[in-house]
Amino acid sequence: MLSRKYVIGLQPLLWSIFLVLLLYTILPTLTVRLLGLWVYKKKVARDGIALTFDDGPDPDFTPQLLDILSKYQIIATFFVLGSKAEKYPELIQRIHHEGHLIGIHNYVHWTNACMTPQKVRKQLKDSVAAIENIIGVTPIYYRPPWGIINVFDLFLVHRFRLVFWSLMVTDWRSHGGTERIKSKLLAKLQSNQIIVLHDSGQTFGANRDAPHYMLDALDAFLEICTLRRVTFLRIDTYLHLLQFKKRAPSRRTKKFLIFIWLKWERVFHWLFNIRPIDVDNQIFYSRVRKYHGKTIQLGSGEELNSGDLVIELHFNNEKLHQLITESDSMFQLAVQMKQAVKSFMPTLTQHVHFIPEKVKAIYGITMIHRGSKQLGFTLTELPKGIFSRVTQFYLKLLLCLLHPNGRDRLKMKSELLSPRIATISTQELCKKYAVSVELIAISEHAVPIS
């Protein structure tokens, strides 16, 4: 049995692993699934049903599947594995010649959560090359295995259209047989769904004979759909009909997501020892740390160099959500934020006096930075790179989540939504927002602000 001391010693490592997984794959996957951002997973108009098939092609089951689709004159979308496409090019040719759409499902069936960004891109590059060599068409539709992505996959939306699903009937399992799959398909027949099925039982967690039951259930399902005159369309046709419009999350869903986000931030603050500057007015959270980055020329003539101590500011996003809700425009929001920050600056100045270390500057990253220069902050662009892109994605995601108009706001003057580093030297801070001698004298006998 593990000792308590050993378990306690493992806690920082376990927290670190959890944090990496949360930021790298869990949070991005939940975001795109719940908010429907940058992915296509469900229709918003009653134009028909989309049948999609993953994990093929398979030499035994894909020909039978194509025969069934041909029998009912239905076209579908196939998300194939690049390695199988290379192994069975004649099946890829048949899928294409019979009018079905071909997308990609990685080169092999590995989850993106367990791969580096470079590895994911190689999987996609090899898969695209395999399809192009067979049918001469470049696939642009992509479904990641198990519907799991990592944070860097969000940069793929410029090249690929991510397609998830709205109905999964666990057809990779043999348990329950044909009747179970058929009943689940029929239960959702009245709704316009993107249905995902699997024409291979060779992937991890699947039963080898499962496609037998899927094919029998599909045959019966399509016979009923034919009698009911149900329309089936390819994914690209869906997107064309919808003109790329997506369903906005409901108020209840958005409220829930905001609740989860703010709870997660509390955990984040606890993990990294980020504390409120004023417990009675928690507009800012902060921590003292060493600055790591390029040299920044401060307005006071000083330089902020790598290794200098800074107070890192974090805006209270609960307060930000309140300000956004009360604002009619981004301009009004900027004005309110400027007023809130300006009124808080003397408190921040007082906070600096209680820090025993020699702090060079106040430092923060923000996307709403209008009016910062008038408050004495120097604005600097983030150096281009992975950190800049991830930061910009995070801040835009936060704005999309907190702002009442969500994604529509991101489309308005998106060029202005660029994160900046805001810095002010402690020397300039104290000079510009010096509190009175009497207040400092009183503060020296007061309990320090935590």
Side-chain angles (χ1 to χ4, degrees), residues 147-201:
I148 298 174
I149 64 171
N150 65 56
V151 66
F152 297 99
D153 292 342
L154 297 171
F155 299 112
L156 298 174
V157 296
H158 300 293
R159 182 180 179 189
F160 297 98
R161 291 179 187 162
L162 274 63
V163 181
F164 285 2
W165 59 85
S166 55
L167 176 60
M168 177 183 287
V169 295
T170 60
D171 60 307
W172 62 86
R173 300 292 301 275
S174 301
H175 178 72
T178 299
E179 195 57 36
R180 177 183 62 84
I181 299 173
K182 175 185 171 183
S183 62
K184 285 190 174 183
L185 289 172
L186 290 174
K188 295 293 184 179
L189 182 58
Q190 71 277 10
S191 301
N192 288 324
Q193 303 285 342
I194 295 181
I195 301 173
V196 57
L197 298 169
H198 302 80
D199 55 330
S200 174

Side-chain angles (χ1 to χ4, degrees), residues 345-350 353 426-440:
M345 294 302 275
T347 304
L348 178 60
T349 307
Q350 183 181 351
H353 288 282
T426 52
Q427 176 184 336
E428 181 70 14
L429 177 73
C430 294
K431 179 181 177 182
K432 193 174 182 68
Y433 300 98
V435 291
S436 66
V437 176
E438 292 81 8
L439 180 57
I440 291 215

Side-chain angles (χ1 to χ4, degrees), residues 90-362:
E90 69 283 355
L91 289 177
I92 297 296
Q93 289 176 343
R94 181 181 171 186
I95 292 171
H96 177 64
H97 289 155
E98 293 186 6
H100 305 291
L101 179 66
I102 297 177
I104 55 179
H105 196 48
N106 279 0
Y107 189 75
V108 294
H109 204 276
W110 291 346
T111 174
N112 293 12
C114 298
M115 294 190 289
T116 64
Q118 293 80 7
K119 186 70 174 179
V120 174
R121 278 155 180 73
K122 188 176 189 309
Q123 289 261 332
L124 296 176
K125 180 181 177 182
D126 292 346
S127 298
V128 169
I131 302 302
E132 283 181 335
N133 291 337
I134 298 170
I135 63 174
V137 176
T138 302
I140 62 171
Y141 296 93
Y142 172 48
R143 174 175 286 162
W146 292 296
I148 298 174
I149 64 171
N150 65 56
V151 66
F152 297 99
D153 292 342
L154 297 171
F155 299 112
L156 298 174
V157 296
H158 300 293
R159 182 180 179 189
F160 297 98
R161 291 179 187 162
L162 274 63
V163 181
F164 285 2
W165 59 85
S166 55
L167 176 60
M168 177 183 287
V169 295
T170 60
D171 60 307
W172 62 86
R173 300 292 301 275
S174 301
H175 178 72
T178 299
E179 195 57 36
R180 177 183 62 84
I181 299 173
K182 175 185 171 183
S183 62
K184 285 190 174 183
L185 289 172
L186 290 174
K188 295 293 184 179
L189 182 58
Q190 71 277 10
S191 301
N192 288 324
Q193 303 285 342
I194 295 181
I195 301 173
V196 57
L197 298 169
H198 302 80
D199 55 330
S200 174
Q202 297 179 350
T203 53
F204 176 76
N207 300 130
R208 290 297 181 98
D209 61 341
H212 282 295
Y213 303 107
M214 184 278 290
L215 292 172
D216 290 341
L218 181 65
D219 196 347
F221 172 69
L222 293 182
E223 183 176 1
I224 295 173
C225 289
T226 301
L227 293 174
R228 297 186 184 181
R229 299 179 182 274
V230 176
T231 302
F232 289 88
L233 299 172
R234 304 191 329 178
I235 287 297
D236 55 346
T237 308
Y238 272 116
L239 292 177
H240 177 72
L241 290 174
L242 294 176
Q243 298 180 346
F244 311 109
K245 293 181 180 178
K246 300 180 178 70
R247 185 192 299 271
S250 66
R251 287 187 178 182
R252 181 177 296 179
T253 300
K254 194 165 186 178
K255 187 176 181 180
F256 172 74
L257 290 174
I258 293 172
F259 172 80
I260 294 297
W261 188 291
L262 295 178
K263 289 296 183 184
W264 147 245
E265 285 197 339
R266 291 189 181 184
V267 175
F268 180 83
H269 291 164
W270 176 76
L271 283 173
F272 292 95
N273 196 33
I274 299 171
R275 300 288 182 260
I277 292 177
D278 185 349
V279 293
D280 296 321
N281 183 17
Q282 299 184 20
I283 186 173
F284 278 115
Y285 293 82
S286 73
R287 64 171 176 169
V288 177
R289 72 169 185 89
K290 288 185 178 181
Y291 168 72
H292 298 287
K294 294 184 178 180
T295 298
I296 296 178
Q297 297 292 332
L298 301 173
S300 60
E302 300 176 273
E303 289 185 345
L304 179 62
N305 299 305
S306 183
D308 289 338
L309 281 180
V310 295
I311 296 177
E312 182 182 78
L313 289 183
H314 294 260
F315 205 88
N316 181 354
N317 286 322
E318 195 167 351
K319 177 69 174 179
L320 177 60
H321 179 231
Q322 178 187 342
L323 291 176
I324 289 176
T325 304
E326 296 172 351
S327 303
D328 296 326
S329 65
M330 287 298 289
F331 176 77
Q332 186 179 357
L333 172 63
V335 170
Q336 289 192 14
M337 285 189 66
K338 179 182 176 182
Q339 291 174 346
V341 173
K342 185 176 181 179
S343 64
F344 194 81
M345 294 302 275
T347 304
L348 178 60
T349 307
Q350 183 181 351
H351 176 65
V352 171
H353 288 282
F354 290 111
I355 298 175
E357 301 96 337
K358 176 67 175 178
V359 174
K360 187 71 168 290
I362 315 299

